Structure formats: C-alpha cells, structure tokens
Amino acid sequence: MRRNVVQLIVIGVVASAIGIAVAFSIDWFPKQASTQAKDIDGLFHVLLVASVPVFVLVECVVLFSVWKFRMRPGDELRDGPPIHGDTRLEIVWTTIPAVLLLGLCVYTAVILNKIERAPKHGTPVLNVNVVGQQFTWAFQYPGEGQQKVASAQLYLPTNTDVRFHISSLDVIHAFWVPEFRMQIDAVPGNPTSYRIKTRGPGTYAVVCAELCGLGHAAMRNTVHVLPKPRFAAWLAAKRGPAAAGNGGARRSAANGGTTNALAAGKTVFEGSAGCGGCHTLAAAGTKGTVGPSLDSVLKGSKRSTTFIRESIVKPNAYIEPGYPANVMPQNFGQTLSTKEVDALVQYLQKVAK
Ligand code: CUA
C-alpha cells in the first residue's frame, strides 16, 4: 500500500512539473498595454500553478488505479473487501481543497481590488464615453462646457488614467481591448464602467465580446494610444473643427486637392469608419460580406454623391434588396466629421466606377 502511494506521488510530482512547464511555455496573452494587464496575467499564472497539479493528480489517481488494480484472470467473480468510511481521509480531502480555494479567492479579491482602485486624489483622469450599437462602437470625449466630442475611433494618451463609461443603444455588447485585458458588458439602460492606466503608444483592436447579432464579428474598431502631445493635438482639432478644417483646406489646396481628398477618403474607409469589416471594395482590398459589396452596388449606373452620402449617414433610407435594415450603424453622421463624410463620399464615387 505504502509503495503504491509513494509511486503515485512520484508520478504525480513529475507529471505536474511537466504540465506547469508546458503551460508556462505557451505565450497566452497579447502585449500588456495597460498597467492592469501585468496583475491580471500574474493572477492567470498563479491559477495555472494551482490548477495544473490538481488536474494532473486526479488523472494520475484514475489512470494509476486502472493500471494497478485492474481485473486479472480468475478475479471475474470476486468482490473487493467491504470498506467503511475513513474519517482521517475525509478530513484531508475536505481541508486541502477548502484551503486552496479560500487562498485563491483571497488572492483574486486582492488583485480585483488593485486593478479597480481609483488613482490617487488629484490625478488627472480622462473620462471617455463608450457607446455600443449594432454593429459599431462610438466614443465621446469631454468638450467645451457640456459639449461632447464624438469620434468613431478610440484615441487615448500614453501613461494616463482613463475611465470608460460604457452604454448601449440596443442590445447587450461587451467592450474589450485584449491588450488592456479588462472587459465589461455594455447593457442598454444600465451604464457600466471600468478604468485602466495606459502605457506606451500603440494601435490595438476594440472588440465586441458578446454575441449581439448578424454583424457581431465585424463589430471592431481601433484604439490609438498616442504620445500625450499628439493626443492633445488630436483632441484640440476635434474640439475646434473650424480651426482644424481651415488648416486642412489650406494644406490640401497647396498639394493638389483631389489626390489628398481621395487619400483622406481611403483613410476614413479603412480607419475611422472601418467600412471594410462589412463591405467588399476591391480598391481598398476589403472582403466583408455583412453588407452589400460596394463594387457591385456602386458600379455601372454612376450613383450620385447625394445617394452615397445618404447611404452613409441615413443607411435605412434605401436598403439593398436581400439585406436587412438596421444592420449598418445609424450614427456615422455624428461620429464622422462633415469633412470625413465628404472625403469618404468622394473616394467611393471615384473608386467604385
Ligand atoms: Cu456587439 Cu457583439
């Protein structure tokens, strides 16, 4: 009996060590782009170290018993000896899991408290509203007074405490940037929030992590974490579109307006509006199939700029046969500036001929 237990323990320890080594050799996570990410990854690795030996131990006992105590010829009609409860054994197998579970609960609570803790009083916090709707995200920043500044893409400064206020206009979505690690549901009628502190500059995907309808897989935007001065410049330009607009117009006039406007339109298509997630357009190399292919609907019969503009800002005004209404986001008129919509219309009319 004692020999069996010693054998089992040796096998269990070796298999656990191999299991943990394999688990640690896997690169589980993308880049750590928030200060919270490090603690969350640490928690994951502690859970791995705690759970791999439990899994290995259970498997070892099962396989070891099958091998060691298998039925041999002549055993067919024999029954094992009757066994009564073993109080000592029961105390051991109740206490060890209870202590393990309690320890992990306390550690998890400590980490949760740490990643959700508000920054020290007086630390500047950037408040960003995140609005989910089928099938895109929109972002709002504090503007002048009560005014809000809208953006179709998420822009954040480096090394800054950010608090996201998350809401939904229709069904339940979930706001997730894998590189920030944090995730929370966007629930209609029940605003939620979480905070992160950004780190260095980078560009990551904003993902919807809750099945929300036909376009769920295409509900992706981009987050740009910019050095603080560049972020400040971006926000200033967004806050005062008149000032930025004039500068832009002067620049494009000097460089030959049309080429620049087309490039700007392509940027909106690929970047700020993210049209390619749902629409196929050969000129931009996109292959989305949630919405109609722009190559076919805009081809041949040259569509008017009025029609193209309406299809972007009021997508339900005309629905292409075979496609349901309400799938395209209704708010591009708010999240894109007039200049961006103009550029996008001009780009689409030009490339889809
Ligand atoms: Cu929104 Cu899935």
Side-chain angles (χ1 to χ4, degrees):
M1 180 64 192
R2 183 152 296 235
R3 229 185 93 234
N4 284 342
V5 172
V6 172
Q7 251 180 345
L8 186 61
I9 290 175
V10 170
I11 295 174
V13 168
V14 172
S16 294
I18 295 172
I20 291 173
V22 169
F24 270 74
S25 70
I26 298 171
D27 190 10
W28 295 96
F29 298 109
K31 189 178 161 189
Q32 297 177 338
S34 73
T35 56
Q36 282 78 359
K38 210 168 160 232
D39 292 317
I40 293 171
D41 294 1
L43 173 65
F44 179 82
H45 286 112
V46 168
L47 290 176
L48 266 185
V49 171
S51 53
V52 166
V54 172
F55 174 76
V56 167
L57 187 72
V58 171
E59 295 306 313
C60 276
V61 170
V62 170
L63 295 175
F64 189 82
S65 306
V66 167
W67 167 60
K68 202 80 185 176
F69 306 113
R70 69 190 182 278
M71 189 179 68
R72 292 181 169 82
D75 282 347
E76 286 86 349
L77 296 174
R78 285 178 55 197
D79 203 357
I83 297 172
H84 279 277
D86 184 327
T87 313
R88 205 175 51 173
L89 196 58
E90 284 178 22
I91 290 176
V92 168
W93 79 38
T94 307
T95 312
I96 292 179
V99 168
L100 187 63
L101 211 60
L102 206 67
L104 291 178
C105 283
V106 170
Y107 180 59
T108 306
V110 168
I111 294 294
L112 186 64
N113 186 44
K114 191 176 168 195
I115 60 177
E116 290 190 334
R117 190 181 304 152
K120 272 197 213 81
H121 193 69
T123 312
V125 174
L126 174 69
N127 284 287
V128 180
N129 291 347
V130 178
V131 184
Q133 75 174 120
Q134 290 169 320
F135 295 100
T136 191
W137 298 101
F139 307 94
Q140 294 172 338
Y141 297 80
E144 303 298 328
Q146 296 296 313
Q147 292 275 324
K148 290 276 177 217
V149 172
S151 170
Q153 298 295 321
L154 178 57
Y155 286 83
L156 298 173
T158 51
N159 301 311
T160 302
D161 285 286
V162 182
R163 183 159 185 174
F164 298 110
H165 302 265
I166 299 131
S167 58
S168 168
L169 297 179
D170 38 43
V171 300
I172 300 177
H173 306 273
F175 174 59
W176 186 32
V177 177
E179 281 80 359
F180 294 161
R181 300 293 189 277
M182 309 282 274
Q183 182 195 116
I184 202 164
D185 278 4
V187 186
N190 185 11
T192 51
S193 89
Y194 66 74
R195 55 175 87 245
I196 59 145
K197 184 170 183 184
T198 56
R199 299 177 71 196
T203 302
Y204 318 106
V206 178
V207 182
C208 177
E210 178 71 51
L211 185 60
C212 55
L214 194 61
H216 162 69
M219 189 165 165
R220 295 169 79 94
N221 294 52
T222 307
V223 48
H224 306 269
V225 182
L226 305 176
K228 282 178 182 171
R230 275 189 60 202
F231 173 79
W234 172 82
L235 190 57
K238 272 275 178 190
R239 277 178 180 158
N246 288 341
R250 261 202 307 280
R251 261 201 313 279
S252 57
N255 299 340
T258 323
T259 331
N260 255 19
L262 282 184
K266 191 169 188 214
T267 306
V268 176
F269 186 90
E270 291 171 340
S272 31
C275 315
C278 291
H279 294 286
T280 294
L281 183 68
T286 64
K287 296 187 166 61
T289 53
V290 175
S293 157
L294 300 179
D295 291 317
S296 33
V297 294
L298 297 178
K299 208 171 130 191
S301 60
K302 195 167 159 261
R303 299 287 198 176
S304 70
T305 50
T306 320
F307 173 80
I308 299 176
R309 180 183 305 276
E310 185 185 65
S311 300
I312 295 166
V313 299
K314 262 175 72 186
N316 279 350
Y318 169 77
I319 300 290
E320 187 69 14
Y323 291 89
N326 296 317
V327 171
M328 177 146 158
Q330 311 287 308
N331 63 346
F332 282 127
Q334 288 90 56
T335 57
L336 297 177
S337 68
T338 317
K339 217 175 103 197
E340 285 174 315
V341 176
D342 288 346
L344 185 56
V345 170
Q346 202 178 339
Y347 170 72
L348 286 174
Q349 202 190 28
K350 185 89 186 165
V351 300
K353 263 189 244 180

mmCIF file of all heavy atoms in Angstrom, residues 274-322:
data_model
loop_
_atom_site.group_PDB
_atom_site.id
_atom_site.type_symbol
_atom_site.label_atom_id
_atom_site.label_comp_id
_atom_site.label_asym_id
_atom_site.label_seq_id
_atom_site.Cartn_x
_atom_site.Cartn_y
_atom_site.Cartn_z
ATOM 1 N N GLY A 274 -14.008 52.199 -40.635
ATOM 2 C CA GLY A 274 -13.872 50.750 -40.640
ATOM 3 C C GLY A 274 -14.889 50.060 -41.530
ATOM 4 O O GLY A 274 -15.424 49.008 -41.185
ATOM 5 N N CYS A 275 -15.163 50.630 -42.701
ATOM 6 C CA CYS A 275 -16.213 50.105 -43.589
ATOM 7 C C CYS A 275 -15.913 48.678 -44.081
ATOM 8 O O CYS A 275 -16.825 47.892 -44.332
ATOM 9 C CB CYS A 275 -16.381 51.012 -44.801
ATOM 10 S SG CYS A 275 -16.433 52.759 -44.403
ATOM 11 N N GLY A 276 -14.596 48.385 -44.234
ATOM 12 C CA GLY A 276 -14.191 47.116 -44.826
ATOM 13 C C GLY A 276 -14.575 45.898 -44.000
ATOM 14 O O GLY A 276 -14.608 44.787 -44.509
ATOM 15 N N GLY A 277 -14.876 46.114 -42.706
ATOM 16 C CA GLY A 277 -15.289 44.988 -41.866
ATOM 17 C C GLY A 277 -16.575 44.354 -42.387
ATOM 18 O O GLY A 277 -16.806 43.170 -42.208
ATOM 19 N N CYS A 278 -17.404 45.180 -43.049
ATOM 20 C CA CYS A 278 -18.702 44.674 -43.521
ATOM 21 C C CYS A 278 -18.832 44.696 -45.040
ATOM 22 O O CYS A 278 -19.690 44.016 -45.586
ATOM 23 C CB CYS A 278 -19.834 45.510 -42.933
ATOM 24 S SG CYS A 278 -20.045 45.293 -41.155
ATOM 25 N N HIS A 279 -18.043 45.549 -45.724
ATOM 26 C CA HIS A 279 -18.237 45.736 -47.161
ATOM 27 C C HIS A 279 -17.013 45.319 -47.975
ATOM 28 O O HIS A 279 -15.881 45.603 -47.583
ATOM 29 C CB HIS A 279 -18.534 47.207 -47.483
ATOM 30 C CG HIS A 279 -19.831 47.694 -46.932
ATOM 31 N ND1 HIS A 279 -21.053 47.337 -47.469
ATOM 32 C CD2 HIS A 279 -20.103 48.510 -45.896
ATOM 33 C CE1 HIS A 279 -22.030 47.925 -46.768
ATOM 34 N NE2 HIS A 279 -21.474 48.633 -45.810
ATOM 35 N N THR A 280 -17.280 44.692 -49.099
ATOM 36 C CA THR A 280 -16.223 44.383 -50.049
ATOM 37 C C THR A 280 -15.982 45.615 -50.924
ATOM 38 O O THR A 280 -16.933 46.227 -51.413
ATOM 39 C CB THR A 280 -16.654 43.202 -50.939
ATOM 40 O OG1 THR A 280 -16.769 42.041 -50.106
ATOM 41 C CG2 THR A 280 -15.623 42.928 -52.042
ATOM 42 N N LEU A 281 -14.703 45.989 -51.084
ATOM 43 C CA LEU A 281 -14.342 47.060 -52.008
ATOM 44 C C LEU A 281 -12.948 46.737 -52.539
ATOM 45 O O LEU A 281 -11.967 46.772 -51.794
ATOM 46 C CB LEU A 281 -14.345 48.434 -51.313
ATOM 47 C CG LEU A 281 -14.037 49.619 -52.239
ATOM 48 C CD1 LEU A 281 -15.167 49.848 -53.248
ATOM 49 C CD2 LEU A 281 -13.801 50.896 -51.439
ATOM 50 N N ALA A 282 -12.901 46.393 -53.811
ATOM 51 C CA ALA A 282 -11.635 45.940 -54.392
ATOM 52 C C ALA A 282 -10.535 46.982 -54.211
ATOM 53 O O ALA A 282 -9.403 46.650 -53.862
ATOM 54 C CB ALA A 282 -11.836 45.627 -55.875
ATOM 55 N N ALA A 283 -10.880 48.268 -54.431
ATOM 56 C CA ALA A 283 -9.866 49.323 -54.366
ATOM 57 C C ALA A 283 -9.188 49.387 -53.005
ATOM 58 O O ALA A 283 -8.036 49.792 -52.900
ATOM 59 C CB ALA A 283 -10.506 50.669 -54.703
ATOM 60 N N ALA A 284 -9.906 49.009 -51.947
ATOM 61 C CA ALA A 284 -9.330 49.050 -50.606
ATOM 62 C C ALA A 284 -8.888 47.663 -50.158
ATOM 63 O O ALA A 284 -8.385 47.487 -49.056
ATOM 64 C CB ALA A 284 -10.335 49.634 -49.617
ATOM 65 N N GLY A 285 -9.119 46.652 -51.021
ATOM 66 C CA GLY A 285 -8.699 45.282 -50.688
ATOM 67 C C GLY A 285 -9.512 44.668 -49.562
ATOM 68 O O GLY A 285 -9.026 43.803 -48.856
ATOM 69 N N THR A 286 -10.775 45.111 -49.373
ATOM 70 C CA THR A 286 -11.566 44.540 -48.274
ATOM 71 C C THR A 286 -12.559 43.520 -48.822
ATOM 72 O O THR A 286 -12.974 43.591 -49.977
ATOM 73 C CB THR A 286 -12.331 45.631 -47.501
ATOM 74 O OG1 THR A 286 -13.283 46.246 -48.370
ATOM 75 C CG2 THR A 286 -11.376 46.677 -46.967
ATOM 76 N N LYS A 287 -12.946 42.562 -47.942
ATOM 77 C CA LYS A 287 -13.764 41.445 -48.402
ATOM 78 C C LYS A 287 -14.948 41.163 -47.478
ATOM 79 O O LYS A 287 -15.429 40.037 -47.417
ATOM 80 C CB LYS A 287 -12.888 40.185 -48.500
ATOM 81 C CG LYS A 287 -11.775 40.311 -49.535
ATOM 82 C CD LYS A 287 -11.040 38.997 -49.712
ATOM 83 C CE LYS A 287 -10.169 38.976 -50.959
ATOM 84 N NZ LYS A 287 -9.104 40.010 -50.964
ATOM 85 N N GLY A 288 -15.425 42.189 -46.732
ATOM 86 C CA GLY A 288 -16.552 41.981 -45.813
ATOM 87 C C GLY A 288 -17.804 41.560 -46.558
ATOM 88 O O GLY A 288 -18.029 41.950 -47.712
ATOM 89 N N THR A 289 -18.638 40.740 -45.904
ATOM 90 C CA THR A 289 -19.856 40.261 -46.573
ATOM 91 C C THR A 289 -21.111 40.519 -45.749
ATOM 92 O O THR A 289 -22.190 40.062 -46.100
ATOM 93 C CB THR A 289 -19.775 38.748 -46.854
ATOM 94 O OG1 THR A 289 -19.455 38.086 -45.620
ATOM 95 C CG2 THR A 289 -18.725 38.417 -47.887
ATOM 96 N N VAL A 290 -20.980 41.250 -44.627
ATOM 97 C CA VAL A 290 -22.168 41.534 -43.813
ATOM 98 C C VAL A 290 -23.109 42.457 -44.588
ATOM 99 O O VAL A 290 -24.317 42.273 -44.611
ATOM 100 C CB VAL A 290 -21.763 42.168 -42.468
ATOM 101 C CG1 VAL A 290 -22.997 42.584 -41.681
ATOM 102 C CG2 VAL A 290 -20.926 41.180 -41.660
ATOM 103 N N GLY A 291 -22.536 43.468 -45.239
ATOM 104 C CA GLY A 291 -23.319 44.393 -46.050
ATOM 105 C C GLY A 291 -23.047 44.141 -47.520
ATOM 106 O O GLY A 291 -22.188 43.337 -47.876
ATOM 107 N N PRO A 292 -23.813 44.842 -48.409
ATOM 108 C CA PRO A 292 -23.621 44.634 -49.846
ATOM 109 C C PRO A 292 -22.208 45.000 -50.306
ATOM 110 O O PRO A 292 -21.571 45.869 -49.707
ATOM 111 C CB PRO A 292 -24.654 45.560 -50.489
ATOM 112 C CG PRO A 292 -25.230 46.391 -49.398
ATOM 113 C CD PRO A 292 -24.879 45.794 -48.094
ATOM 114 N N SER A 293 -21.750 44.327 -51.353
ATOM 115 C CA SER A 293 -20.450 44.653 -51.929
ATOM 116 C C SER A 293 -20.532 46.012 -52.608
ATOM 117 O O SER A 293 -21.400 46.246 -53.442
ATOM 118 C CB SER A 293 -20.059 43.586 -52.954
ATOM 119 O OG SER A 293 -19.126 44.141 -53.867
ATOM 120 N N LEU A 294 -19.635 46.916 -52.242
ATOM 121 C CA LEU A 294 -19.686 48.268 -52.807
ATOM 122 C C LEU A 294 -19.269 48.249 -54.270
ATOM 123 O O LEU A 294 -19.693 49.082 -55.057
ATOM 124 C CB LEU A 294 -18.804 49.210 -51.993
ATOM 125 C CG LEU A 294 -19.233 49.324 -50.522
ATOM 126 C CD1 LEU A 294 -18.307 50.265 -49.763
ATOM 127 C CD2 LEU A 294 -20.669 49.792 -50.388
ATOM 128 N N ASP A 295 -18.449 47.267 -54.639
ATOM 129 C CA ASP A 295 -18.054 47.160 -56.044
ATOM 130 C C ASP A 295 -19.277 46.920 -56.922
ATOM 131 O O ASP A 295 -19.400 47.485 -58.002
ATOM 132 C CB ASP A 295 -17.048 46.017 -56.231
ATOM 133 C CG ASP A 295 -15.715 46.361 -55.587
ATOM 134 O OD1 ASP A 295 -15.261 47.508 -55.753
ATOM 135 O OD2 ASP A 295 -15.146 45.490 -54.908
ATOM 136 N N SER A 296 -20.222 46.076 -56.449
ATOM 137 C CA SER A 296 -21.399 45.828 -57.291
ATOM 138 C C SER A 296 -22.472 46.907 -57.151
ATOM 139 O O SER A 296 -23.074 47.299 -58.140
ATOM 140 C CB SER A 296 -21.972 44.430 -57.054
ATOM 141 O OG SER A 296 -21.806 44.025 -55.739
ATOM 142 N N VAL A 297 -22.744 47.413 -55.920
ATOM 143 C CA VAL A 297 -23.861 48.373 -55.801
ATOM 144 C C VAL A 297 -23.509 49.762 -56.342
ATOM 145 O O VAL A 297 -24.395 50.528 -56.708
ATOM 146 C CB VAL A 297 -24.406 48.512 -54.355
ATOM 147 C CG1 VAL A 297 -25.056 47.236 -53.904
ATOM 148 C CG2 VAL A 297 -23.327 48.950 -53.391
ATOM 149 N N LEU A 298 -22.216 50.088 -56.379
ATOM 150 C CA LEU A 298 -21.861 51.431 -56.864
ATOM 151 C C LEU A 298 -21.396 51.432 -58.326
ATOM 152 O O LEU A 298 -21.125 52.469 -58.905
ATOM 153 C CB LEU A 298 -20.765 52.037 -55.981
ATOM 154 C CG LEU A 298 -21.146 52.282 -54.518
ATOM 155 C CD1 LEU A 298 -19.967 52.842 -53.738
ATOM 156 C CD2 LEU A 298 -22.331 53.232 -54.401
ATOM 157 N N LYS A 299 -21.320 50.239 -58.920
ATOM 158 C CA LYS A 299 -20.753 50.115 -60.250
ATOM 159 C C LYS A 299 -21.751 50.536 -61.357
ATOM 160 O O LYS A 299 -22.949 50.618 -61.118
ATOM 161 C CB LYS A 299 -20.359 48.649 -60.501
ATOM 162 C CG LYS A 299 -19.227 48.465 -61.481
ATOM 163 C CD LYS A 299 -18.803 46.996 -61.446
ATOM 164 C CE LYS A 299 -18.733 46.419 -62.831
ATOM 165 N NZ LYS A 299 -18.580 44.971 -62.792
ATOM 166 N N GLY A 300 -21.227 50.746 -62.535
ATOM 167 C CA GLY A 300 -22.069 50.954 -63.721
ATOM 168 C C GLY A 300 -22.903 52.218 -63.639
ATOM 169 O O GLY A 300 -22.406 53.308 -63.857
ATOM 170 N N SER A 301 -24.176 52.051 -63.257
ATOM 171 C CA SER A 301 -25.056 53.211 -63.123
ATOM 172 C C SER A 301 -24.430 54.113 -62.078
ATOM 173 O O SER A 301 -24.502 53.861 -60.896
ATOM 174 C CB SER A 301 -26.429 52.768 -62.641
ATOM 175 O OG SER A 301 -26.281 52.145 -61.390
ATOM 176 N N LYS A 302 -23.770 55.151 -62.518
ATOM 177 C CA LYS A 302 -22.996 56.007 -61.614
ATOM 178 C C LYS A 302 -23.913 56.601 -60.547
ATOM 179 O O LYS A 302 -24.846 57.335 -60.860
ATOM 180 C CB LYS A 302 -22.315 57.108 -62.430
ATOM 181 C CG LYS A 302 -21.246 57.819 -61.686
ATOM 182 C CD LYS A 302 -20.414 58.667 -62.654
ATOM 183 C CE LYS A 302 -19.685 59.752 -61.916
ATOM 184 N NZ LYS A 302 -20.337 61.045 -61.974
ATOM 185 N N ARG A 303 -23.677 56.232 -59.292
ATOM 186 C CA ARG A 303 -24.513 56.716 -58.200
ATOM 187 C C ARG A 303 -24.174 58.176 -57.899
ATOM 188 O O ARG A 303 -23.012 58.562 -57.913
ATOM 189 C CB ARG A 303 -24.268 55.883 -56.941
ATOM 190 C CG ARG A 303 -24.599 54.415 -57.107
ATOM 191 C CD ARG A 303 -26.091 54.180 -57.161
ATOM 192 N NE ARG A 303 -26.386 52.783 -56.892
ATOM 193 C CZ ARG A 303 -27.618 52.305 -56.791
ATOM 194 N NH1 ARG A 303 -28.654 53.099 -56.964
ATOM 195 N NH2 ARG A 303 -27.808 51.046 -56.535
ATOM 196 N N SER A 304 -25.208 58.935 -57.539
ATOM 197 C CA SER A 304 -24.975 60.349 -57.223
ATOM 198 C C SER A 304 -24.313 60.464 -55.852
ATOM 199 O O SER A 304 -24.432 59.573 -55.006
ATOM 200 C CB SER A 304 -26.299 61.098 -57.209
ATOM 201 O OG SER A 304 -27.047 60.674 -56.084
ATOM 202 N N THR A 305 -23.611 61.579 -55.651
ATOM 203 C CA THR A 305 -22.997 61.808 -54.334
ATOM 204 C C THR A 305 -24.077 61.884 -53.267
ATOM 205 O O THR A 305 -23.874 61.456 -52.133
ATOM 206 C CB THR A 305 -22.186 63.119 -54.330
ATOM 207 O OG1 THR A 305 -23.007 64.145 -54.864
ATOM 208 C CG2 THR A 305 -20.930 62.993 -55.158
ATOM 209 N N THR A 306 -25.254 62.414 -53.639
ATOM 210 C CA THR A 306 -26.362 62.511 -52.671
ATOM 211 C C THR A 306 -26.748 61.122 -52.183
ATOM 212 O O THR A 306 -26.935 60.897 -50.991
ATOM 213 C CB THR A 306 -27.596 63.166 -53.339
ATOM 214 O OG1 THR A 306 -27.132 64.228 -54.175
ATOM 215 C CG2 THR A 306 -28.572 63.672 -52.306
ATOM 216 N N PHE A 307 -26.835 60.174 -53.138
ATOM 217 C CA PHE A 307 -27.215 58.809 -52.760
ATOM 218 C C PHE A 307 -26.158 58.188 -51.846
ATOM 219 O O PHE A 307 -26.470 57.577 -50.826
ATOM 220 C CB PHE A 307 -27.404 57.946 -54.010
ATOM 221 C CG PHE A 307 -27.627 56.493 -53.678
ATOM 222 C CD1 PHE A 307 -28.878 56.039 -53.278
ATOM 223 C CD2 PHE A 307 -26.578 55.584 -53.743
ATOM 224 C CE1 PHE A 307 -29.083 54.708 -52.951
ATOM 225 C CE2 PHE A 307 -26.770 54.243 -53.419
ATOM 226 C CZ PHE A 307 -28.032 53.814 -53.027
ATOM 227 N N ILE A 308 -24.889 58.352 -52.222
ATOM 228 C CA ILE A 308 -23.816 57.743 -51.423
ATOM 229 C C ILE A 308 -23.795 58.350 -50.017
ATOM 230 O O ILE A 308 -23.712 57.627 -49.020
ATOM 231 C CB ILE A 308 -22.442 57.932 -52.117
ATOM 232 C CG1 ILE A 308 -22.451 57.237 -53.487
ATOM 233 C CG2 ILE A 308 -21.320 57.380 -51.260
ATOM 234 C CD1 ILE A 308 -21.182 57.436 -54.299
ATOM 235 N N ARG A 309 -23.940 59.692 -49.968
ATOM 236 C CA ARG A 309 -23.941 60.355 -48.657
ATOM 237 C C ARG A 309 -25.095 59.843 -47.794
ATOM 238 O O ARG A 309 -24.908 59.498 -46.627
ATOM 239 C CB ARG A 309 -24.044 61.870 -48.848
ATOM 240 C CG ARG A 309 -24.051 62.662 -47.530
ATOM 241 C CD ARG A 309 -24.223 64.149 -47.809
ATOM 242 N NE ARG A 309 -23.202 64.612 -48.732
ATOM 243 C CZ ARG A 309 -21.974 64.970 -48.361
ATOM 244 N NH1 ARG A 309 -21.639 64.948 -47.095
ATOM 245 N NH2 ARG A 309 -21.090 65.355 -49.253
ATOM 246 N N GLU A 310 -26.290 59.765 -48.403
ATOM 247 C CA GLU A 310 -27.458 59.307 -47.651
ATOM 248 C C GLU A 310 -27.254 57.876 -47.143
ATOM 249 O O GLU A 310 -27.615 57.545 -46.016
ATOM 250 C CB GLU A 310 -28.703 59.373 -48.546
ATOM 251 C CG GLU A 310 -29.984 59.025 -47.806
ATOM 252 C CD GLU A 310 -31.181 58.984 -48.754
ATOM 253 O OE1 GLU A 310 -31.209 58.122 -49.652
ATOM 254 O OE2 GLU A 310 -32.069 59.823 -48.574
ATOM 255 N N SER A 311 -26.634 57.031 -47.983
ATOM 256 C CA SER A 311 -26.427 55.637 -47.584
ATOM 257 C C SER A 311 -25.475 55.525 -46.394
ATOM 258 O O SER A 311 -25.496 54.540 -45.669
ATOM 259 C CB SER A 311 -25.852 54.827 -48.753
ATOM 260 O OG SER A 311 -26.749 54.878 -49.834
ATOM 261 N N ILE A 312 -24.632 56.550 -46.217
ATOM 262 C CA ILE A 312 -23.690 56.510 -45.098
ATOM 263 C C ILE A 312 -24.331 57.072 -43.829
ATOM 264 O O ILE A 312 -24.275 56.449 -42.766
ATOM 265 C CB ILE A 312 -22.406 57.301 -45.437
ATOM 266 C CG1 ILE A 312 -21.665 56.629 -46.590
ATOM 267 C CG2 ILE A 312 -21.490 57.397 -44.216
ATOM 268 C CD1 ILE A 312 -20.587 57.495 -47.218
ATOM 269 N N VAL A 313 -24.959 58.239 -43.955
ATOM 270 C CA VAL A 313 -25.465 58.881 -42.737
ATOM 271 C C VAL A 313 -26.909 58.478 -42.399
ATOM 272 O O VAL A 313 -27.337 58.599 -41.259
ATOM 273 C CB VAL A 313 -25.352 60.435 -42.814
ATOM 274 C CG1 VAL A 313 -23.897 60.845 -42.979
ATOM 275 C CG2 VAL A 313 -26.188 60.993 -43.947
ATOM 276 N N LYS A 314 -27.670 57.999 -43.413
ATOM 277 C CA LYS A 314 -29.044 57.527 -43.137
ATOM 278 C C LYS A 314 -29.228 56.182 -43.831
ATOM 279 O O LYS A 314 -29.966 56.065 -44.811
ATOM 280 C CB LYS A 314 -30.066 58.546 -43.674
ATOM 281 C CG LYS A 314 -30.597 59.481 -42.594
ATOM 282 C CD LYS A 314 -31.504 60.542 -43.175
ATOM 283 C CE LYS A 314 -32.844 59.995 -43.619
ATOM 284 N NZ LYS A 314 -33.662 61.023 -44.311
ATOM 285 N N PRO A 315 -28.541 55.148 -43.318
ATOM 286 C CA PRO A 315 -28.467 53.884 -44.058
ATOM 287 C C PRO A 315 -29.817 53.202 -44.285
ATOM 288 O O PRO A 315 -29.945 52.396 -45.202
ATOM 289 C CB PRO A 315 -27.545 53.014 -43.208
ATOM 290 C CG PRO A 315 -27.470 53.674 -41.887
ATOM 291 C CD PRO A 315 -27.750 55.124 -42.082
ATOM 292 N N ASN A 316 -30.827 53.526 -43.476
ATOM 293 C CA ASN A 316 -32.117 52.860 -43.668
ATOM 294 C C ASN A 316 -32.967 53.499 -44.770
ATOM 295 O O ASN A 316 -34.021 52.978 -45.122
ATOM 296 C CB ASN A 316 -32.917 52.844 -42.367
ATOM 297 C CG ASN A 316 -32.444 51.716 -41.461
ATOM 298 O OD1 ASN A 316 -31.668 50.858 -41.894
ATOM 299 N ND2 ASN A 316 -32.871 51.719 -40.218
ATOM 300 N N ALA A 317 -32.517 54.647 -45.310
ATOM 301 C CA ALA A 317 -33.319 55.342 -46.325
ATOM 302 C C ALA A 317 -33.514 54.466 -47.558
ATOM 303 O O ALA A 317 -34.579 54.438 -48.157
ATOM 304 C CB ALA A 317 -32.638 56.660 -46.699
ATOM 305 N N TYR A 318 -32.468 53.743 -47.949
ATOM 306 C CA TYR A 318 -32.611 52.776 -49.045
ATOM 307 C C TYR A 318 -31.870 51.502 -48.656
ATOM 308 O O TYR A 318 -30.685 51.545 -48.340
ATOM 309 C CB TYR A 318 -32.023 53.334 -50.353
ATOM 310 C CG TYR A 318 -31.906 52.275 -51.433
ATOM 311 C CD1 TYR A 318 -33.036 51.865 -52.151
ATOM 312 C CD2 TYR A 318 -30.686 51.654 -51.692
ATOM 313 C CE1 TYR A 318 -32.942 50.862 -53.100
ATOM 314 C CE2 TYR A 318 -30.579 50.648 -52.651
ATOM 315 C CZ TYR A 318 -31.715 50.257 -53.364
ATOM 316 O OH TYR A 318 -31.623 49.263 -54.292
ATOM 317 N N ILE A 319 -32.587 50.386 -48.644
ATOM 318 C CA ILE A 319 -31.965 49.110 -48.272
ATOM 319 C C ILE A 319 -31.809 48.263 -49.526
ATOM 320 O O ILE A 319 -32.780 48.007 -50.239
ATOM 321 C CB ILE A 319 -32.838 48.347 -47.241
ATOM 322 C CG1 ILE A 319 -33.019 49.175 -45.954
ATOM 323 C CG2 ILE A 319 -32.219 46.986 -46.915
ATOM 324 C CD1 ILE A 319 -31.790 49.313 -45.109
ATOM 325 N N GLU A 320 -30.609 47.851 -49.800
ATOM 326 C CA GLU A 320 -30.335 46.984 -50.939
ATOM 327 C C GLU A 320 -31.127 45.674 -50.787
ATOM 328 O O GLU A 320 -31.103 45.064 -49.718
ATOM 329 C CB GLU A 320 -28.815 46.704 -50.985
ATOM 330 C CG GLU A 320 -28.334 45.946 -52.195
ATOM 331 C CD GLU A 320 -28.417 46.744 -53.502
ATOM 332 O OE1 GLU A 320 -28.603 47.976 -53.458
ATOM 333 O OE2 GLU A 320 -28.323 46.096 -54.564
ATOM 334 N N PRO A 321 -31.867 45.252 -51.856
ATOM 335 C CA PRO A 321 -32.647 44.008 -51.735
ATOM 336 C C PRO A 321 -31.760 42.841 -51.270
ATOM 337 O O PRO A 321 -30.628 42.708 -51.724
ATOM 338 C CB PRO A 321 -33.152 43.770 -53.154
ATOM 339 C CG PRO A 321 -33.110 45.111 -53.814
ATOM 340 C CD PRO A 321 -31.992 45.861 -53.179
ATOM 341 N N GLY A 322 -32.301 42.041 -50.345
ATOM 342 C CA GLY A 322 -31.553 40.884 -49.855
ATOM 343 C C GLY A 322 -30.795 41.175 -48.565
ATOM 344 O O GLY A 322 -30.197 40.279 -47.978
#
